[in-house]
Amino acid sequence: MKPEDTAVVLVEPAPVPVVRQHNAITQARYDYTACQLDIFFYLLSRLRRDDTPDQEYTIYVKDVEALTGRQWNYQQLREATADMGSRMFEVENERTYQQLWMFQRVEYIKGKGCLQIQLAAPIRPFLFNLKENFTSYQLHSALKLSSKYAKRIYQLVSQWKDKTSTRTYPLDEFKQMLHLKDPKGKEPELFQNISQLKARVLDIAVRQVSEHTDLKIDYELVKKGRAYDAVRFTIARQQPQQLPIPFEQPAEDARAHAARQSLEMLGITQPQLVATILADPKHLDQLFKFTYQLKTDKVKATKNPGGLFLKICGLR
């Protein structure tokens, strides 16, 4: 089965019927944590059309931390990839039902802070198809979202970014996509109460996507009789708030780019100082740790954070 065969639906009426093909992975039922989705989006950014079938993808832990503003230690990543490897994607259309797994192999390189991933062959076409829904900026935005539901909903609405709204999703289908409801009824349903669904999933996703990405979204709950039966998302483009990360560059260049952005945010622009920091791996590690602590309020430096960072590095 080809990815193009999956989940074809009609959208709003037009003089000529408009057909939109949804990516099977976005529509698939699966449950990833925020850490796992960070790995997933970063891996997605590294895909190239000329990759060989047995291509290996190297992910440096520091790069992921620099992009997301969150720290994931080695043990967390090992547990995340182990769980990702065991979880399956369920892809279904009118003709077939498939169970797919993400990885062929994951190898952690000791002492280098990186892991190498080889994708399972059957899932590769679906991932390449999914990547076409995103620009480099949008992938960067996806990494900035902290809620796993916000990340998943951003995947969903990005497929409709050339429209003013998504299609209307029956709540059962929507919950199954976000793994809030087991289609077989073997697991308890999460957020059954509509107020819980709004507070714990929809409101958080709308706020984060609208604040951190190029899309401003909202949602509409649709009633059937007296009960809510479906949901659709409205979409508006907005000016990006951040520079796109150059995913097409080698990992080392991407890290340097992220470091320059962090230094600019701290007000450190003197060429000699910037060059000194970029040339020293210890200074770079301190930079990413400091900016993470600053974003999470673990460091209080409202007046002169750049000066505090330079003092920590012994450069002032």
Side-chain angles (χ1 to χ4, degrees), residues 294-309:
L294 196 64
K295 290 176 182 177
T296 55
D297 292 326
K298 293 180 180 179
V299 168
K300 304 292 183 182
T302 55
K303 292 184 178 180
N304 185 14
L308 176 59
F309 169 70

Side-chain angles (χ1 to χ4, degrees), residues 10 15 17-18 32 37 41 49 52 96 133 170 204 222 225 234 236 241 271 280 283 303:
L10 293 178
V18 179
Y32 274 0
L37 283 167
F41 279 116
R49 279 293 178 187
T52 61
T96 65
N133 290 322
I204 292 174
V222 181
T234 58
Q241 301 299 312
D280 190 331
H283 287 336
K303 292 184 178 180

Side-chain angles (χ1 to χ4, degrees), residues 35-71:
C35 178
Q36 290 168 334
L37 283 167
D38 281 347
I39 295 171
F40 179 68
F41 279 116
Y42 191 86
L43 182 62
L44 198 66
S45 74
R46 310 307 301 181
L47 299 180
R48 302 291 178 269
R49 279 293 178 187
D50 58 355
D51 290 346
T52 61
D54 58 350
Q55 182 79 35
E56 291 185 347
Y57 301 94
T58 301
I59 296 179
Y60 288 89
V61 177
K62 294 296 183 183
D63 291 340
V64 179
E65 290 180 350
L67 293 172
T68 63
R70 294 182 293 279
Q71 288 185 313

Side-chain angles (χ1 to χ4, degrees), residues 76-250:
Q76 286 175 306
L77 290 172
R78 287 179 64 174
E79 292 173 359
T81 54
D83 191 50
M84 290 171 75
S86 65
R87 290 177 182 263
M88 68 179 178
F89 290 82
E90 298 178 278
V91 179
E92 187 173 2
N93 63 14
E94 294 179 354
R95 294 183 289 112
T96 65
Y97 164 78
Q98 288 192 79
Q99 296 176 340
L100 301 172
W101 285 265
M102 178 71 72
F103 302 136
Q104 177 70 28
R105 182 178 64 86
V106 178
E107 182 177 356
Y108 283 79
I109 311 300
K110 295 181 179 179
K112 292 191 176 182
C114 69
L115 56 150
Q116 293 180 336
I117 292 174
Q118 187 175 357
L119 295 169
I123 206 168
R124 287 173 60 85
F126 294 103
L127 297 182
F128 278 106
N129 192 27
L130 173 58
K131 185 179 180 180
E132 291 175 0
N133 290 322
F134 295 96
T135 64
S136 290
Y137 173 77
Q138 290 170 322
L139 285 167
H140 188 204
S141 298
L143 287 164
K144 289 293 182 182
L145 304 174
S146 60
S147 162
K148 69 175 184 178
Y149 300 124
K151 291 173 185 286
R152 288 286 277 125
I153 288 172
Y154 185 57
Q155 277 183 293
L156 188 68
V157 298
S158 288
Q159 295 181 88
W160 299 86
K161 58 183 179 286
D162 56 333
K163 303 291 182 182
T164 57
S165 68
T166 66
R167 72 174 176 93
T168 300
Y169 295 92
L171 280 180
D172 277 353
E173 178 187 348
F174 177 72
K175 287 183 174 182
Q176 288 172 20
M177 286 167 54
L178 270 64
H179 218 270
L180 300 174
K181 184 174 183 178
D182 181 0
K184 298 179 181 179
K186 294 181 179 180
E187 299 177 7
E189 180 179 343
L190 299 178
F191 314 133
Q192 293 185 48
N193 187 295
I194 199 67
S195 62
Q196 291 179 322
L197 182 68
K198 290 170 66 175
R200 302 288 294 277
V201 178
L202 295 170
D203 290 344
I204 292 174
V206 164
R207 184 177 67 252
Q208 290 194 8
V209 170
S210 297
E211 286 180 358
H212 298 294
T213 79
D214 59 328
L215 302 179
K216 184 177 180 60
I217 69 170
D218 205 344
Y219 66 89
E220 300 172 1
L221 288 166
V222 181
K223 278 188 173 181
K224 184 177 182 180
R226 299 182 63 181
Y228 289 108
D229 180 66
V231 62
R232 63 174 168 264
F233 295 89
T234 58
I235 307 167
R237 297 291 189 98
Q238 62 181 354
Q239 186 66 30
Q241 301 299 312
Q242 304 168 2
L243 295 173
I245 193 71
F247 282 123
E248 288 70 26
Q249 296 181 7

